[in-house]
Amino acid sequence: MHARTSPDAARTSTDAVGQRHAPAGPDARIVSLVPSLTELVFELGLGDRLVGRTGFCVHPHEALRGVPKVGGTKDVKLERIRELAPTHVLVNMDENRRETVDALAAFVPHIVVTHPNTPQDNLPLFALLGGIFGAEDAAARLADELRAALAEAVALRRTLADERVLYLIWREPWMTVARDTYIAATLAEVGWHTLPAVEGGETGAARYPAFDWGAPWLADVARVLLSTEPYRFREAHLPEVEALARRPALLVDGEMVSWYGSRAARGLRWLIALRRGSA
């Protein structure tokens, strides 16, 4: 005899660490510990199920006013989450601490782990959350928008030569991004390849290496990009950086480059316009 598989079991969705999640149903209570995922929850039409978020979850601003905060992405208030009694907590391997996730697993039924490293990784991310929370149509719409934006990036690179860039995320110490980060992969889609050409691994500080302005690889950098987050680079920093790098510098909206999820397509189109304007 063959065992029967329930419809929900057949429709399970698999997260970034191989955990399988069955459809949650309309009574799901979601806590998001990742700003990008909080925004995505609303884009999927699931805002009414969000019962907690971090203080860094700021989009969509007005809709989040009544959603309780549970600390930051790294300093999560576990007891506050326990009080909110979520059925699902959304986490990210790069943004949340492993020990936090392990502690949450002791009392939260479902921990959904994400780890997008390229813009294309948003496609399974949309399918994952859409499948768990019954938002398949909205997830498909976001996927179509992203595929269109990726095609526009391919078309852009046919018209402009690629450039090597330095992407700054911090000042004193000066810090940049490794090649295997989401940021570097997003920039590469529009023909901006980050230096140094190092990889930082799945998680940890090596993904965001410090450097000094005497590094030999800087000779190959054509342009420096200053991100508005996590360090708040502003126009006033451009002269300093141009003097140190002896290269032109541009201010870049960090949210458009580093936020995955529903912002991915919009971010790519923003970068395409910036690339064209700086050519």
Side-chain angles (χ1 to χ4, degrees):
M1 294 180 65
H2 297 285
R4 291 186 178 182
T5 301
S6 71
D8 280 357
R11 291 174 50 216
T12 55
S13 303
T14 305
D15 69 13
V17 293
Q19 299 177 130
R20 297 186 71 82
H21 299 272
D27 297 325
R29 294 174 59 83
I30 304 169
V31 167
S32 173
L33 300 184
V34 186
S36 301
L37 298 182
T38 299
E39 185 176 48
L40 177 56
V41 165
F42 280 88
E43 288 286 341
L44 290 171
L46 303 168
D48 60 336
R49 303 185 203 179
L50 188 73
V51 299
R53 46 100 179 192
T54 76
F56 298 107
C57 297
V58 295
H59 298 299
H61 182 70
E62 291 300 322
L64 285 170
R65 284 186 180 274
V67 180
K69 297 178 184 178
V70 296
T73 56
K74 301 290 193 291
D75 54 339
V76 176
K77 297 178 180 178
L78 296 174
E79 287 309 308
R80 182 63 179 124
I81 295 180
R82 190 190 297 271
E83 292 169 0
L84 294 169
T87 59
H88 295 74
V89 174
L90 310 183
V91 301
N92 175 266
M93 289 174 60
D94 205 26
E95 297 189 52
N96 306 120
R97 293 193 171 105
R98 174 64 182 269
E99 54 266 33
T100 299
V101 176
D102 289 343
L104 288 168
F107 62 89
V108 176
H110 306 284
I111 308 294
V112 183
V113 183
T114 66
H115 192 44
N117 283 312
T118 70
Q120 290 82 358
D121 289 344
N122 286 290
L123 298 172
L125 174 62
F126 299 153
L128 172 67
L129 297 191
I132 294 173
F133 299 111
E136 291 90 346
D137 289 346
R141 173 180 54 79
L142 291 173
D144 287 343
E145 291 177 2
L146 178 55
R147 291 188 186 98
L150 287 165
E152 291 169 26
V154 170
L156 170 79
R157 292 184 65 184
R158 295 194 188 104
T159 66
L160 291 175
D162 288 0
E163 285 186 339
R164 294 184 176 91
V165 299
L166 169 63
Y167 186 89
L168 298 182
I169 62 168
W170 204 258
R171 179 178 180 274
E172 295 181 354
W174 297 96
M175 295 173 67
T176 183
V177 296
R179 279 273 177 92
D180 53 346
T181 57
Y182 184 85
I183 291 171
T186 300
L187 293 169
E189 289 295 328
V190 300
W192 273 335
H193 300 283
T194 58
L195 290 176
V198 299
E199 295 195 353
E202 285 288 297
T203 61
R207 292 170 64 78
Y208 307 99
F211 71 95
D212 66 72
W213 292 102
W217 51 264
L218 283 166
D220 295 324
V221 169
R223 191 183 306 275
V224 184
L225 307 177
L226 284 69
S227 175
T228 57
E229 68 165 41
Y231 188 86
R232 292 176 63 84
F233 282 109
R234 294 292 180 262
E235 293 283 348
H237 294 106
L238 291 173
E240 174 191 23
V241 170
E242 288 182 335
L244 288 168
R246 300 176 186 174
R247 301 288 190 279
L250 280 174
L251 191 65
V252 173
D253 185 334
E255 290 183 357
M256 289 297 188
V257 183
S258 65
W259 283 41
Y260 41 85
S262 52
R263 191 174 292 253
R266 185 155 33 112
L268 279 172
R269 289 188 171 114
W270 186 89
L271 279 170
I272 288 168
L274 184 67
R275 180 95 216 271
R276 285 190 178 124
S278 64

